[in-house]
Amino acid sequence: VEAETPPIEATPVSYTAESIPDGLEQLEMLANGSAPALSLTEDEITRSKAPHPMINAIATETYDKALEAAQNPREGSFGGVPTFIKDLLNWEGDQTLYGSRAFQGYIAPEDGPFAAAWRKAGLISLGKSTSPEMGLISSTAPLVTGATRNPYDLSRIPGGSSGGAAALVAARVVPFAHASDGGGSIRIPAACCGLFGLKPSRGALPISRDSGPVDISVNHAVTLTVRDSAALFAAAEGDLETDLPRTGNVTEASARRLRIAYAPDPITNAVLDAETRSGIERTAQLCRELGHEVIDFTMPADGARFTDAFLLYWAAGAATFAQQASDFSGKPIGPDIVEPWTLSLAADFLARQAEMPETIAYLQAFEAEYHAWFEDFDVLLTPTVSTVAPKVGEQAPDGDYESVRASVMNFAAFTAPMNVSGAASMSVPLQWSNDGLPIGSMFSGKRGDD
């Protein structure tokens, strides 16, 4: 269900969002003729203009092309429904910045595989939502477009890397938006912005790019309602070749009672704030009241080793991106085209690249280690992030590297194991702080448990 807490009460500026129909309601409106695609598209364009100066969540708007597409919408399971595409995904004919100054003017020559699935479903793109540079950080404040802000409190981040997508949905501009997740980038902004965010299993849906020998990145969406997420999942499955069973469109709640492992503490030494700890305790109690068996659990992983290996692998991606930025721009790798955060990550990799074979072997073996946790339970319950959304600037890409790194590592301490293991994982907006900030609860399963 849609979160009932009013979505936006922010200082120094307040923005009150009206309730909007979710994607499936919009499909019903299209089917019965009460709102043609052109009308829906015009409405969402209008809705985008009020909060945008405050939340700054649109990297590139393509309203004229959207209006043209809405005049003769493509048939499909979401035919005629408008939305936004994350700025890391190539949508044919539109600019993709990858959240970077280096790629200004780059026009995608064709759809990426996931974009092709959404285009086939008939979705209309209103433009690109903001992303940090190459999705490399848990906030969304790229130097090319500026900081994106959380609709619940404009002084706070919306999370990252799908921060623009989450801010637009939380502001009720659109009921869902494309998102991707390579280390928590669907679930983190969903938690910060009071949304539902499902990270699909590895191989369940088309990927947008090859993430290398450890395939950590997946595509899906952040949504106001669970049923939209399920329907979008089914639409994107299409005829994708996979070793996983088809999930299909889940339309009803299961009557099965689950054995839930409750693990409120991360595998690292990250510290939960009081609001987050209280919130996840309330979620565990809610699960008990719903008839599930909840057992206390400590994740049996070497947190220091896992974090070090994941960050080195992440840094390798930053180094690759820095070279791509140089190749496209024709300029040498440096701070005028690549952000300080990306440059620092790349430098970390270059200093330790001899360790990569051992790091890759460890991360590949972690999948079996993670799945062995589930011998005695069905689902793992943890916080999504360690704190409520941090203040804008605390994770700025041009901030002091060590300070930003410490903030990111503490904040995003729970999500990466599911990317490395390829597991299904979701953030659910079940709790709120005393000040009305969203607190996500993360439920994770095994690969294929979508």
Side-chain angles (χ1 to χ4, degrees):
V1 297
E2 183 177 335
E4 294 180 358
T5 295
I8 297 171
E9 298 225 350
T11 56
V13 182
S14 295
Y15 174 77
T16 302
E18 297 179 0
S19 178
I20 62 171
D22 72 356
L24 293 183
E25 284 181 90
Q26 291 189 14
L27 284 173
E28 293 174 8
M29 295 161 67
L30 288 165
N32 63 30
S34 61
L38 184 59
S39 175
L40 287 176
T41 302
E42 290 172 338
D43 287 348
E44 294 191 0
I45 290 172
T46 299
R47 279 201 299 273
S48 74
K49 293 178 179 178
H52 179 59
M54 289 179 274
I55 63 174
N56 189 36
I58 301 171
T60 306
E61 56 92 349
T62 56
Y63 295 157
D64 289 343
K65 293 173 71 172
L67 291 169
E68 182 180 351
Q71 293 181 38
N72 186 25
R74 183 170 184 164
E75 293 184 3
S77 53
F78 275 87
V81 177
T83 188
F84 282 88
I85 307 299
K86 185 177 176 180
D87 190 34
L88 300 187
L89 185 70
N90 281 342
W91 189 268
E92 183 180 355
D94 291 352
Q95 179 173 251
T96 308
L97 292 171
Y98 303 106
S100 176
R101 294 162 295 166
F103 282 89
Q104 293 180 87
Y106 172 72
I107 304 299
E110 60 184 4
D111 286 338
F114 188 84
W118 268 33
R119 194 185 294 273
K120 184 177 179 180
L123 288 155
I124 295 172
S125 173
L126 296 167
K128 294 297 186 66
S129 62
T130 52
S131 165
E133 187 165 72
M134 205 51 196
L136 289 171
I137 197 169
S138 52
S139 63
T140 301
L143 299 184
V144 67
T145 54
T148 300
R149 296 174 179 270
N150 191 318
Y152 284 89
D153 180 344
L154 297 176
S155 71
R156 296 179 182 272
I157 68 170
S161 63
S162 305
L168 288 164
V169 177
R172 274 55 175 179
V173 173
V174 288
F176 61 81
H178 165 254
S180 59
D181 193 317
S185 293
I186 288 175
R187 293 158 290 160
I188 291 169
C192 290
C193 292
L195 305 175
F196 181 73
L198 170 68
K199 184 202 90 67
S201 295
R202 177 188 297 131
L205 299 181
I207 61 172
S208 56
R209 59 187 174 89
D210 180 10
S211 13
V214 184
D215 197 357
I216 59 176
S217 184
V218 294
N219 286 280
H220 189 37
V222 286
T223 64
L224 288 176
T225 61
V226 175
R227 69 176 196 163
D228 270 4
S229 186
L232 287 164
F233 193 106
E237 275 185 322
D239 53 4
L240 178 71
E241 292 186 11
T242 177
D243 61 335
L244 298 175
R246 297 290 179 187
T247 298
N249 189 1
V250 180
T251 58
E252 297 180 1
S254 171
R256 179 186 173 197
R257 301 300 90 178
L258 301 172
R259 185 171 170 85
I260 299 175
Y262 172 50
D265 294 305
I267 60 175
T268 67
N269 60 357
V271 178
L272 272 64
D273 66 17
E275 297 270 26
T276 299
R277 186 168 293 279
S278 176
I280 199 64
E281 288 171 355
R282 293 195 301 272
T283 295
Q285 181 57 29
L286 173 62
C287 291
R288 296 184 188 99
E289 293 169 359
L290 290 170
H292 302 291
E293 182 184 0
V294 178
I295 61 171
D296 292 331
F297 185 69
T298 299
M299 291 179 278
D302 184 336
R305 184 181 183 192
F306 176 87
T307 301
D308 183 68
F310 185 81
L311 286 176
L312 180 56
Y313 191 76
W314 197 253
T320 298
F321 175 76
Q323 186 60 57
Q324 292 169 338
S326 176
D327 293 343
F328 178 78
S329 67
K331 299 178 181 179
I333 296 172
D336 56 334
I337 63 166
V338 182
E339 294 176 348
W341 171 257
T342 305
L343 288 173
S344 295
L345 286 173
D348 284 350
F349 165 72
L350 293 174
R352 299 178 58 194
Q353 57 184 317
E355 302 172 40
M356 283 301 291
E358 180 183 353
T359 296
I360 290 169
Y362 167 76
L363 292 174
Q364 288 174 333
F366 181 79
E367 180 173 351
E369 179 181 336
Y370 171 90
H371 283 89
W373 299 353
F374 288 79
E375 291 181 359
D376 297 321
F377 58 84
D378 303 300
V379 173
L380 177 67
L381 169 61
T382 69
T384 309
V385 287
S386 300
T387 70
V388 296
K391 295 286 188 177
V392 171
E394 187 176 313
Q395 296 181 12
D398 56 351
D400 175 74
Y401 178 60
E402 293 301 327
S403 297
V404 172
R405 188 173 183 268
S407 176
V408 171
M409 290 177 65
N410 189 80
F411 177 60
F414 287 95
T415 51
M418 295 78 194
N419 294 87
V420 174
S421 63
S425 182
M426 64 183 182
S427 181
V428 187
L430 293 173
Q431 307 298 337
W432 305 87
S433 75
N434 291 330
D435 293 330
L437 295 174
I439 298 173
S441 300
M442 190 165 75
F443 296 85
S444 303
K446 303 187 298 296
R447 180 172 179 259
D449 280 351
D450 307 76

